[in-house]
Amino acid sequence: MLKLTNIHTYYGNIHALKGIDIEVEEGEVISLIGSNGAGKSTTLMTTCGIVPAKKGRIELNGEDITYLPPDEIVKKGICQVPEGRRIFPYLTVAENLDMGAFLRNDTEKIKQDLDYVYELFPILANRKNQVGGTLSGGEQQMLAISRALMSRPKILLLDEPSLGLAPIVVKQIFTIIGKINQESKTTIFIVEQNANLALKAAHRGYVMETGKITMTDTGANLLVNEDVKKAYLGI
Amino acid sequence: MRWINIGLGLAVTGIIGFFVVRELLIDPLYFFELFLGGLTRGSIYALIALGYTMVYGIIQLINFAHGEIYMIGAMTALIVASVLGLWGWNTAVIAILAVVFAIVYSCAYGFTVEKIAYKPLRNSPRLSALISAIGMSLFLQNYVMLAQTPDYLPFKSLIPDFHFWEPYAHIITSVELTIIITTVIVMILLGILIKFTRIGKAMRSLPVMWDRSTFSSDFWQGSKPLSQRFWVVSALSRAQCWDRWYWVFPKAILPDISTVNMKMYLPFPSWY
Ligand SMILES: Nc1ncnc2c1ncn2[C@@H]1O[C@H](COP(=O)(O)OP(=O)(O)O)[C@@H](O)[C@H]1O
Ligand SMILES: [Mg+2]
């Protein structure tokens, strides 16, 4: 469904991605793990067209989207939940969600998606009119995911959804991510430093080190892989 | 130091207050005349200030060309009014057309200025955009002075004296009345736009996007809403171009308006 081939991305003369190959099939949950500064976020930014690749090719269902502007890419069905959530702090929860559907005009379906999102995260329904910036970290993460869902993505990119959250909230969020994958058949691509959780939730995983993919296997296999255990699971 | 400040403040307020109250007692009618005159001018400045804050609220840029856009609108209205006046058109029609043209032109200028001078600098240090704005301001001023004239131009009133208003016309003229009513309507409409429409929400959401530590969030679509905001802002600053007192003087009015705006802008509550 989504296919990155030999992607090279630069920030000025910093070579952040050094030839990355990733393939995501429809309906999968994929995890990309790696330590700080490995280039995980950059991978997502490049996929979304925010930091375009210098070399390589990104395909969505066979269509070349490498050099499309971000809004076109969102329209094609790729949406990112950015690292650190980045909700709109001055807008209410309802307004944040409405902004998620900014590129859509199908009022009926937007309404349906809104109901769906409120069903996934009932707390957001209670906080409809609360200003985003005053939500707790967990609620903000839920809002960020919901906002992305409001664009009705075919593939949802999550950048460190567990960042700075209490373990119990993280668990809750991962449960719901699994639910989103199963119920609405949304393909999910998770970037995480929390390798244990991410690999448990994923069908397949990729391991990244300083701009390169060093390993790929099923989530279960990576969890028991000795190298992964040593480097990322702290066992 | 604090007491000196408070003392000075009280003294100034006291002196002004004394004259105000004295005026009110001596000649209440004259007082209200002045008061309403102030209100009228104030409402014009308030609209301009709203435009300023809207721009600043989004891109954190003091749009130095804001006053110039206003001036362009006034100039357009003047030209349209003069030409149509020569052709002997009906005053009411002229007034409406002048306003429409002024709005269209200042929108176009606002949009273009943003495209040329601000958008390419969106990811540059703030100072660059600020200097670009000053450049735009100088350019537009001089362009109009060259293309039109640096001299004072009289702008004939386009608002007739309303019949029904005659009994009160000695307190507040038809023109003043029109200005105040227009301001109120425009402010209400703007409030609705900002509060309830999608573009309005997009405008309010934008400031976070300019957090320079990252790139704009991917789900955001380019900077379209931003341009739209400029569009709205320019239209706004033009909504009252037919004001009779505005002798359009490109040379002198601009510093005047800019200083007033800067002062008004500081204590103005933000929309969000
Ligand atoms: N805006 C930027 N400008 C310059 N270098 C950057 C920028 N963002 C990230 N980098 C560099 O790119 C590399 C990958 O960063 P990133 O993708 O954020 O890592 P991760 O998300 O895996 O922690 C790092 O070396 C980082 O310093
Ligand atoms: Mg990161």
Side-chain angles (χ1 to χ4, degrees):
Chain A
M1 179 186 201
L2 179 72
K3 191 172 170 198
L4 283 72
T5 319
N6 193 26
I7 292 294
H8 289 261
T9 302
Y10 292 78
Y11 291 105
N13 50 20
I14 299 172
H15 198 170
L17 298 185
K18 302 165 185 163
I20 293 232
D21 297 290
I22 291 178
E23 202 169 343
V24 182
E25 296 299 335
E26 186 148 11
E28 273 186 318
V29 178
I30 299 289
S31 284
L32 174 65
I33 61 171
S35 53
N36 233 326
K40 306 182 299 295
S41 299
T42 308
T43 308
L44 295 192
M45 291 298 182
T46 299
T47 310
C48 292
I50 298 165
V51 188
K54 250 221 179 104
K55 222 175 104 187
R57 185 178 162 91
I58 304 174
E59 280 172 27
L60 181 66
N61 295 325
E63 188 185 353
D64 187 356
I65 59 164
T66 321
Y67 298 108
L68 287 183
D71 55 311
E72 290 294 326
I73 292 177
V74 177
K75 259 190 215 159
K76 297 242 183 271
I78 299 183
C79 194
Q80 186 186 157
V81 179
E83 191 172 353
R85 313 184 264 274
R86 308 207 150 261
I87 54 152
F88 302 125
Y90 302 116
L91 299 189
T92 64
V93 168
E95 287 171 340
N96 263 283
L97 293 176
D98 190 27
M99 286 294 96
F102 194 86
L103 297 172
R104 297 170 59 186
N105 292 315
D106 44 347
T107 323
E108 279 295 302
K109 290 215 177 101
I110 292 177
K111 184 85 196 25
Q112 277 174 24
D113 288 350
L114 196 63
D115 291 341
Y116 175 61
V117 157
Y118 281 148
E119 191 194 307
L120 277 180
F121 301 107
I123 184 92
L124 294 184
N126 294 333
R127 302 295 171 85
K128 242 183 236 177
N129 297 316
Q130 187 173 331
V131 173
T134 60
L135 295 175
S136 75
E139 289 159 0
Q140 288 192 13
Q141 187 65 58
M142 295 174 194
L143 179 57
I145 294 173
S146 305
R147 183 182 63 184
L149 286 177
M150 290 304 291
S151 74
R152 212 172 241 236
K154 296 190 188 105
I155 173 163
L156 186 65
L157 312 177
L158 295 147
D159 199 345
E160 304 208 21
S162 74
L163 192 73
L165 300 183
I168 184 157
V169 182
V170 173
K171 219 168 186 181
Q172 194 185 348
I173 284 179
F174 268 83
T175 312
I176 292 181
I177 290 173
K179 210 169 143 191
I180 295 169
N181 173 252
Q182 275 155 21
E183 281 177 3
S184 61
K185 303 281 169 259
T186 310
T187 310
I188 292 180
F189 189 86
I190 310 176
V191 157
E192 261 298 347
Q193 284 197 59
N194 188 335
N196 191 19
L197 255 174
L199 291 177
K200 267 184 194 152
H203 299 125
R204 288 191 301 120
Y206 288 86
V207 181
M208 190 167 199
E209 260 167 56
T210 56
K212 282 191 188 122
I213 299 287
T214 51
M215 227 185 292
T216 172
D217 207 332
T218 63
N221 282 351
L222 284 176
L223 268 174
V224 295
N225 183 295
E226 287 304 320
D227 295 333
V228 174
K229 266 189 185 168
K230 241 189 258 154
Y232 302 104
L233 300 175
I235 309 170
Chain B
M1 200 58 213
R2 187 158 156 258
W3 289 109
I4 296 177
N5 279 342
I6 293 178
L8 271 177
L10 281 179
V12 171
T13 318
I15 292 168
I16 295 175
F18 169 76
F19 283 109
V20 168
V21 172
R22 198 185 66 154
E23 212 56 60
L24 180 61
L25 293 178
I26 294 174
D27 190 347
L29 206 61
Y30 182 54
F31 173 83
F32 278 111
E33 233 172 79
L34 285 182
F35 174 74
L36 290 171
L39 197 64
T40 318
R41 270 169 183 263
S43 45
I44 294 166
Y45 292 152
L47 280 189
I48 301 176
L50 279 178
Y52 249 126
T53 46
M54 282 173 79
V55 174
Y56 187 83
I58 285 191
I59 44 174
Q60 323 271 290
L61 162 76
I62 299 173
N63 181 13
F64 278 100
H66 195 67
E68 278 69 14
I69 300 290
Y70 182 92
M71 174 272 288
I72 295 271
M75 214 62 201
T76 310
L78 176 66
I79 293 169
V80 170
S82 313
V83 171
L84 297 184
L86 275 182
W87 294 353
W89 286 37
N90 176 306
T91 320
V93 178
I94 295 181
I96 291 167
L97 279 181
V99 171
V100 169
F101 268 87
I103 290 177
V104 169
Y105 265 78
S106 37
C107 283
Y109 269 90
F111 197 84
T112 315
V113 164
E114 196 263 339
K115 270 264 180 308
I116 294 176
Y118 304 155
K119 199 170 173 185
L121 294 172
R122 194 128 306 146
N123 293 317
S124 318
R126 265 202 219 169
L127 195 59
S128 315
L130 196 72
I131 289 168
S132 184
I134 294 173
M136 256 305 150
S137 158
L138 289 176
F139 169 76
L140 288 175
Q141 274 180 47
N142 287 287
Y143 157 63
V144 173
M145 283 197 275
L146 284 173
Q148 299 294 323
T149 168
D151 290 330
Y152 290 72
L153 294 171
F155 197 159
K156 212 174 100 242
S157 173
L158 294 172
I159 307 291
D161 291 329
F162 304 130
H163 268 299
F164 70 91
W165 195 247
E166 243 161 54
Y168 319 101
H170 58 288
I171 306 174
I172 169 171
T173 65
S174 301
V175 175
E176 289 170 315
L177 182 73
T178 314
I179 288 173
I180 291 175
I181 290 176
T182 316
T183 305
V184 170
I185 292 173
V186 169
M187 282 183 178
I188 289 172
L189 289 180
L190 182 71
I192 292 172
L193 180 92
I194 297 284
K195 189 79 194 136
F196 299 111
T197 68
R198 254 200 185 168
I199 288 182
K201 289 177 205 168
M203 288 172 179
R204 282 183 289 139
S205 71
L206 266 167
V208 238
M209 300 286 96
W210 305 113
D211 177 348
R212 274 146 205 279
S213 62
T214 55
F215 294 78
S216 62
S217 168
D218 70 297
F219 106 112
W220 198 254
Q221 50 139 1
S223 49
K224 237 179 250 165
L226 207 64
S227 304
Q228 273 160 353
R229 178 137 162 193
F230 264 84
W231 198 87
V232 172
V233 165
S234 298
L236 179 72
S237 75
R238 285 313 325 125
Q240 289 197 327
C241 64
W242 64 73
D243 164 28
R244 162 179 78 164
W245 298 306
Y246 277 110
W247 296 63
V248 184
F249 34 101
K251 196 163 60 174
I253 199 173
L254 298 171
D256 178 46
I257 286 188
S258 333
T259 39
V260 171
N261 279 338
M262 286 312 294
K263 278 185 212 140
M264 298 235 16
Y265 155 72
L266 292 172
F268 209 83
S270 122
W271 278 86
Y272 12 90

